[in-house]
Amino acid sequence: MAPSRNERPLARSIPLGPGREFDLIRELVARWGPLAEGIGDDAAILPPVEGSVVLSTDTSVEGVHFRRDWLSPREIGLRAAAAALSDLAAMAAEPVGVLLALSIPERWLRDVGDLADGVADAVGEADTRILGGDVTRAAELAICVTVVGSAAAPLTRAGARPGDAVYVTGALGGPLSAVRAWQRGDRPAAAHRERFAHPRPRIQEARWLAAHGARAAVDISDGLVADLAHVARASGVRIVLEAERIPRVDGVGWREAAASGEEYEVAVTAGDPLDAPEFAERFGMPLTAIGRVRAGEPGVEVTLAGERVAAPGGWDHFS
Ligand SMILES: [Mg+2]
């Protein structure tokens, strides 16, 4: 295996000029410690990567992606970075670093340190670094995280073929169940809240899956059915899921599990069977075969006890 990107020498952060904005950046860089690399110049410099460069950007906006009364500032920061890093997992890419753009209203200034600590939690868990960013005043809190990764052979949504089996990591339903509880004015089950508040991008898991024969992948941000519909479209195939096989956390039904977004689990298709017991042993979570890829009208259908049932929809920001 190539040496980890963290074995290369650290680019040092350079001293910043005077002013309130730079005081804030100085504070963030100090909090991040060795997780911040080469901050302070006009742009970040990266040595060449092995394979392809894989890039993605993701924005979390207060009132759209999270509510302040549901989560702590640290959890909000962690979720924003984890969501962005999950898109690298979806491509079976290894993170090289992240760029962070914070739009901060006055009322959030007190909590920026906690937000930054949450970003650091996710960046540290992914064994990567913060390479730079931007801080600006704004009316609403927005956290934009751009991720840089590398992959020798990135997985895409377009690789599924008829005959493939469909797999998903982990157990689904926690985030939707937590959000529904909050919306009812209830307190979510602790395990469901944890799944919402502390997602873990499946970076190593996805790389293992790619190395063992997965040929299409997507991360579950909008919901299992909705995200697999993207794979079906991109690959020009039909995906048939068996409802009873969909892995779910305790206390949720298959519909909730199939519709739940912001899971940040990974779904893949593979031509040859994947070794689920070995995966479970290695990563401490299940890998479950949930359906098959067929030729036909691109889309996803769900069967229950062999009969076709209505598939639950997912989250669409513009509908
Ligand atoms: Mg994605």
Side-chain angles (χ1 to χ4, degrees):
M1 226 180 202
S4 149
R5 66 243 160 261
N6 285 350
E7 283 162 32
R8 68 184 157 75
L10 255 172
R12 283 193 46 219
S13 296
I14 63 172
L16 300 162
R20 200 174 163 210
E21 179 184 341
F22 299 106
D23 288 343
L24 178 57
I25 297 170
R26 251 187 295 276
E27 188 203 323
L28 300 185
V29 171
R31 287 181 100 104
W32 288 330
L35 285 177
E37 179 178 343
I39 308 277
D41 220 317
D42 291 287
I45 304 170
L46 285 175
V49 302
E50 227 179 309
S52 301
V53 178
V54 180
L55 296 165
S56 179
T57 194
D58 199 79
T59 302
S60 298
V61 179
E62 182 177 13
V64 177
H65 298 91
F66 59 87
R67 298 242 319 252
R68 191 174 182 164
D69 47 341
W70 293 356
L71 295 168
S72 71
R74 188 168 183 151
E75 288 168 338
I76 289 166
L78 180 147
R79 288 185 86 248
L85 286 161
S86 179
D87 281 325
L88 290 183
M91 309 294 289
E94 181 179 27
V96 172
V98 310
L99 300 167
L100 174 67
L102 285 173
S103 306
I104 309 169
E106 193 71 39
R107 65 180 187 282
W108 270 91
L109 273 178
R110 236 169 11 106
D111 296 310
V112 171
D114 289 334
L115 281 174
D117 287 348
V119 170
D121 291 340
V123 167
E125 282 177 22
D127 190 22
T128 189
R129 300 241 174 85
I130 299 159
L131 303 172
D134 184 42
V135 179
T136 180
R137 198 78 76 79
E140 296 296 333
L141 180 71
I143 309 168
C144 177
V145 183
T146 300
V147 289
V148 184
S150 69
L155 290 182
T156 71
R157 298 172 174 188
R161 290 184 225 158
D164 283 4
V166 182
Y167 295 85
V168 68
T169 63
L172 307 177
L176 180 57
S177 173
V179 167
R180 284 182 173 165
W182 277 313
Q183 286 171 338
R184 287 192 308 267
D186 290 344
R187 187 197 291 252
H192 298 175
R193 186 192 187 284
E194 171 66 11
R195 288 280 307 144
F196 182 82
H198 200 150
R200 290 176 172 81
R202 302 309 188 192
I203 290 164
Q204 294 310 323
E205 293 82 353
R207 295 182 71 214
W208 186 95
L209 292 166
H212 288 80
R215 52 191 180 195
V218 72
D219 67 319
I220 302 175
S221 53
D222 297 339
L224 176 70
V225 167
D227 287 309
L228 281 174
H230 299 312
V231 172
R233 285 280 159 144
S235 299
V237 297
R238 190 147 191 88
I239 292 176
V240 183
L241 299 180
E242 291 176 57
E244 46 275 88
R245 286 177 180 257
I246 296 170
R248 46 191 207 244
V249 296
D250 285 345
V252 310
W254 75 265
R255 281 183 176 283
E256 210 164 13
S260 181
E262 300 182 333
E263 294 277 350
Y264 304 115
E265 295 296 340
V266 168
V268 299
T269 81
D272 293 322
L274 294 169
D275 191 338
E278 194 192 325
F279 180 93
E281 165 93 24
R282 195 175 179 101
F283 297 110
M285 78 186 72
L287 175 70
T288 310
I290 54 173
R292 298 219 73 93
V293 178
R294 296 205 180 131
E297 173 76 14
V300 175
E301 66 180 71
V302 181
T303 65
L304 183 65
E307 298 290 321
R308 188 165 170 189
V309 289
W315 175 252
D316 181 340
H317 276 282
F318 297 99
S319 67

